[in-house]
Amino acid sequence: MRIYLLITIFFISTSLTAQQTNEINLISRSFFLPKEKIILYRLGDNTIPIILTQYGEAKSPVCINLHDNEYTAVLAARIVLEQTGGLLIKFNNNRQRLVRFRLRGRQYAFDPNGIFSRAGIEKTLKENGSSSAAAIIEIEKFATRILELIPAENTCLVALHNNNPAGYSVNSYLAGGEKAADAKLVYKNEKEDPDDIFLTTDSTIYSKMAAKSFNSIWQDNVKAKKDGSLSVYFGEIAKCYVNVETRHNKTEQYIAMLRALIPVITSSKD
């Protein structure tokens, strides 16, 4: 009887310890509820909602999404930021890549990842319809506002992008590729999907992500084509930038890449 009682007490004690351990593990996992702020930005005759979603109090990492049709990247970033904390910057554009607006009775369209230089703005306007001095000034103000929303405390900006098969990939930066001149170094993992890439302005981040066997590109910040893109802008001002990219609908892969990147960004602060 005494032996039975001791055994019973042992199993009850073991069960409670396991339950308490599980509770501690759950408590120790960080989950940050998003706090959303919407800025209604007036662009010509149109209004663009710029959305800032803060997870916890951390000012880093900061993730930015410029193409509203690349929503796989945003979904993955939200999942990761709920666990790490940080800031997500994006704007609603009806799931469209190009931003369209009217100004003084004329219609304009532009790629929002080509507006971070005056030459880039003029180029993207002409490629998508028409350009004018007034439209260029209007878009310059919009680009400045976006940059103002990035906290000064942020150590490295993470750009969220998706691509399509047989298009932009790590192969674009290899010898003979259309962007080969834009790259200082390229690492390609032959076992990985070439559409899954990191592109960065920072040599240390390039080396660390390549060491983790991810397709990685170190942008040549001097020679890269001045196309008004955010990566070129950050390269010119010598600030850290990383573009994380997969094909559309590869959410799990995108999450894995972000989870691999964020500790690297954090360690680069030291």
Side-chain angles (χ1 to χ4, degrees), residues 112-267:
N113 195 31
I115 63 173
F116 298 97
S117 71
R118 176 162 286 215
I121 293 171
E122 187 170 10
K123 177 177 179 290
T124 187
L125 279 172
K126 287 181 177 179
E127 287 177 345
N128 294 289
S130 64
S131 178
S132 72
I136 290 171
I137 292 171
E138 195 75 4
I139 297 170
E140 277 186 327
K141 293 176 183 177
F142 180 55
T144 298
R145 184 67 182 114
I146 292 172
L147 294 172
E148 288 173 347
L149 295 173
I150 302 170
E153 303 93 328
N154 180 53
T155 56
C156 192
L157 184 67
V158 179
L160 308 172
H161 285 281
N162 293 119
N163 56 45
N164 295 302
Y168 177 77
S169 74
V170 69
N171 295 330
S172 304
Y173 294 88
L174 297 176
E178 61 178 335
K179 290 183 173 290
D182 292 354
K184 203 160 191 177
L185 286 174
V186 180
Y187 169 77
K188 179 181 178 180
N189 184 342
E190 296 291 347
K191 297 180 180 179
E192 296 296 319
D193 187 334
D195 296 326
D196 301 339
I197 62 173
F198 289 100
L199 178 142
T200 181
T201 59
D202 186 271
S203 61
T204 300
I205 291 175
Y206 164 79
S207 297
K208 290 185 176 181
M209 300 318 295
K212 293 176 181 286
S213 298
F214 290 104
N215 295 320
S216 302
I217 302 110
W218 177 17
Q219 177 179 274
D220 189 323
N221 299 324
V222 176
K223 296 180 181 179
K225 186 177 180 181
K226 312 307 179 189
D227 58 1
S229 63
L230 199 54
S231 69
V232 170
Y233 172 82
F234 268 72
E236 289 179 324
I237 63 174
K239 286 194 173 181
C240 180
Y241 166 102
V242 185
N243 171 19
V244 186
E245 188 133 1
T246 72
R247 280 186 283 135
H248 293 274
N249 300 317
K250 293 186 66 174
T251 308
E252 290 186 6
Q253 174 67 16
Y254 210 105
I255 290 171
M257 291 173 69
L258 284 176
R259 284 176 173 162
L261 173 67
I262 288 175
V264 172
I265 292 175
T266 303
S267 65

